[in-house]
Amino acid sequence: MTAKTVTVPQQPDIVPGLRRGVSAESPPAGRRLWGHVLRRCVLVPLIVLVPLTAVAARGDHRFNLYWHGGMFRDDPWRIVSHTVASGETYLRLGNFRPLGRMAEKSLDLVAFAGSQLLHLPVNITLRLVTIGAAILLTGSAVLFAESVLTRGRLFAAPPTTVALLLPYGIAAGLVGAGRNSTTTLFGGLYLSTAALVLLVAVAACRLDRLRWWHAVLALSGGGALAIFNEPAYFAVPLATVAALLRGRFVLGQDLRGLLGSAGVRLCALLWAGFLPVFAVVRWIIRGYCADGGCYHGSDLVIDGRGLLVLPARMLAWLPPAQWEAATQKAGSWAWAVLPVTALLLLTVLAVRTRKLLPSATRPPTRPLAGLALAALALLLFGALPAALSVEVHTNLTGRALWTEGWRDSATTAPAGMLLLVVLAVLVTRAGRRSAGLVLAGLVLCATGSAAANHAYAGQSAGWQSSQLDNRIALAMSAFERGPAGDVRRCALLAEVLRVNTGKPFQQQRYTDSLDVAARTIAGVPFCEVVR
């Protein structure tokens, strides 16, 4: 007897639109991995930077936190008019970055307002702003890497191995490498600027169709980047390089396809907005500063020394080099309660990451090579301002060129660590165990950076200037009204004036800024009469 053949009709997809061969569990798995990456972008930099939380404000922050906070706390929109009114003054001094100054004043205001809201000294809220900017930079670096590496929608597939490892790498580069490192001085501004540079490149890489409003934004955005600050100048070159490399190495486009792509056309519009504004501003500055006398920190020089400085600054991001600058007089710094705690916390985070590595997408060799070239371009662009800076040529000599941080560190550190992670993934693509070894190395690096930051914080706490500025911050956060409080504040001001004897400009800036902040907080001067 022959069995009857039964034809079973094809069953429809359980999830509408789901491709054949793709499990219904894939989208939740991808979202879970992206959530894991996001949490690491927040937690890992936080662990590394926590030791710097109580470090005193440095440089102009000693005055600007009180000056900007006091002036703008009750009228934040005044930041715009105040910056526009002072634009010509700064132009005559050799720099024109009004949008960057607005960002700087806004961040100072956030730190000042946070201090009043949380009743914390302003140096602590300043460091919290820096940590927030570092978190933003870490997330932007991950988006940049994924935007170059992958096809299709950015979050449609699980993140790559690079994305899982990169938060540990970026955090390992966040070291307080001296007094001028962006981790300790103007960290909020320069780390946020580096994030902006990366996000512009993300937009260029992910644009699939150029619409009219994209063109308007690109033209105006290019002009805005020309008046933001010096590190932001390199957003347009990086976006161009990244769009070209992605088109060639990831999408496999030929020359005609590259030049006609939406991302490259967007970059052309960015250049069209950037170059006229940049050229006019530099021409005006050249007229004011050709004979010298402008702001030393903005002076640029093209000479043979720049060729020697450039490779040094392109290597100064290496964590061991930064550790040396952060721990110059610290003695034994690698082992203490805080570094061991950081190691334990980072290990807990890394164990979960290690388990998820097999679920991450393993990018092919060509896209990884393209991303490595993009990271190298970012590293070059980041180091170039230092190579041309008169201030760097004057103040950083010998070994300091290879170890000390400067404004370029906000860009070179994430660029270098991105390059390092990509090269490590390229070398270890063969197996899961190799990726785990890379992760372990990054955890140890990040722990070393946390230990170096702890050592730097301990050293800086012993400086007389830091102790004085921290006592002023404490007096301002817990403002004591009445005659007794006035006596204590006047004693602090008298000490400030004595420490800065022979520096009338700094004396005046301290006096004015503290007075503006005190009047905003309590309606009284910081000190009625200096005793």
Side-chain angles (χ1 to χ4, degrees), residues 321-338:
Q322 295 193 78
W323 299 343
E324 179 180 331
T327 62
Q328 284 181 349
K329 300 178 181 178
S332 178
W333 55 273
W335 294 106
V337 172
L338 195 145

Side-chain angles (χ1 to χ4, degrees), residues 46-54 333-346 446-455 457-458:
L46 177 64
I47 292 170
V48 172
L49 290 175
V50 155
L52 297 174
T53 304
W333 55 273
W335 294 106
V337 172
L338 195 145
V340 171
T341 303
L343 175 61
L344 293 175
L345 292 174
L346 290 170
T447 303
S449 296
N453 286 337
H454 179 245

